[in-house]
Amino acid sequence: MQRQEFEQRTRIYPTDSFYKVIEEFYMDFEGDKDAFCAAYKESRDGLEERIRDAANKKDLEKEAEAEKELKRWQEENSRLQDNISYLNHRLDVEEEWKPYTDTRNVTQKDYEELRDNSFTEKLSDEKAAEYINQYFGFEKNRIRILHEVPVYEINRHRALREIGKTEHLPLYASSDWNYIRFDCADMMYELDDGTLRLYVD
């Protein structure tokens, strides 16, 4: 029986998967199309309920199989991720990555010495921008105070990679001991102990 024939006789429009179950029951039915469709609509001998139960069972089986397949993919993905992590570790060891400090910028050691001094003041962005404007002439409304600097590693081939960031807030202890990192007009600067220079990135 064609699906269209079933729909014309019953005015019921099942999904593709549900109709496949209807077809299976029709093949085992002792009677013609008209008799089957009438029996289905009237649910003689529980025909409609039995078909619905069988369709629900198939749906549950499909869901269970899909869950198994998803679990298999997740396990395979986990295995591949572990393998990638292992290979990346081997590559890191081979390339001899180690911490890198660009001495053209303020070093972390110098920054921490200023930060940890008991007389050092942590400046607000507003106060830091006012200081830059007053002593170096940058337009205040174009100054953006930066709070972080990138942290790098270098390998034996002299290649750099960024591995994170560390906090560098604007600090002031005196006119010749201070730190502010900011950008203005797409250029980055560091104020270090009263000296202003471009930040090397």
Side-chain angles (χ1 to χ4, degrees):
M1 178 172 55
Q2 298 292 325
R3 177 174 175 168
Q4 184 179 5
E5 294 174 313
F6 174 83
E7 292 175 346
Q8 288 173 343
R9 287 168 170 77
T10 63
R11 300 300 178 191
I12 295 171
Y13 303 93
T15 63
D16 291 343
S17 59
F18 195 85
Y19 185 71
K20 287 181 181 178
V21 179
I22 292 174
E23 277 190 313
E24 292 173 4
F25 275 75
Y26 172 67
M27 297 299 291
D28 294 332
F29 185 78
E30 294 182 0
D32 61 14
K33 300 172 186 178
D34 292 330
F36 176 84
C37 290
Y40 180 85
K41 288 185 68 175
E42 297 170 10
S43 195
R44 296 174 195 164
D45 298 324
L47 178 62
E48 190 273 340
E49 289 86 353
R50 287 187 287 117
I51 290 175
R52 189 168 301 279
D53 288 344
N56 289 337
K57 183 179 179 181
K58 283 184 177 292
D59 287 343
L60 290 174
E61 289 172 351
K62 287 180 181 179
E63 289 178 8
E65 184 59 34
E67 288 179 0
K68 288 180 182 178
E69 186 66 15
L70 176 61
K71 186 176 180 180
R72 285 194 290 270
W73 277 107
Q74 289 173 335
E75 290 173 349
E76 178 65 9
N77 182 64
S78 178
R79 185 187 69 80
L80 292 173
Q81 290 297 327
D82 289 343
N83 193 40
I84 290 171
S85 296
Y86 171 73
L87 292 174
N88 283 337
H89 172 71
R90 290 288 304 272
L91 183 61
D92 283 352
V93 170
E94 190 278 330
E95 292 184 333
E96 300 174 2
W97 288 96
K98 58 185 179 181
Y100 172 78
T101 298
D102 193 329
T103 56
R104 293 172 294 179
N105 299 322
V106 173
T107 66
Q108 185 65 19
K109 178 177 179 296
D110 288 343
Y111 177 83
E112 290 176 359
E113 184 179 355
L114 171 61
R115 180 197 64 192
D116 297 339
N117 185 277
S118 59
F119 298 104
T120 297
E121 174 188 1
K122 291 181 180 178
L123 301 178
S124 66
D125 286 5
E126 176 72 16
K127 198 167 183 179
E130 287 178 358
Y131 188 89
I132 296 298
N133 168 255
Q134 181 180 354
Y135 288 96
F136 299 96
F138 288 85
E139 291 184 35
K140 186 177 175 182
N141 63 352
R142 301 186 69 186
I143 296 170
R144 183 169 67 97
I145 303 301
L146 303 175
H147 301 150
E148 296 176 326
V149 296
V151 177
Y152 293 101
E153 287 183 335
I154 190 169
N155 66 17
R156 63 190 181 92
H157 307 294
R158 307 304 295 172
L160 291 176
R161 68 179 179 187
E162 184 176 334
I163 61 170
K165 295 184 183 297
T166 188
E167 188 177 68
H168 273 203
L169 299 175
L171 305 173
Y172 184 89
S174 66
S175 61
D176 59 357
W177 198 20
N178 45 53
Y179 178 88
I180 301 173
R181 182 168 180 240
F182 67 99
D183 71 14
C184 184
D186 297 325
M187 301 290 288
M188 288 187 293
Y189 300 88
E190 268 189 338
L191 173 65
D192 173 35
D193 299 345
T195 299
L196 186 66
R197 57 175 172 263
L198 287 171
Y199 181 84
V200 180
D201 195 7

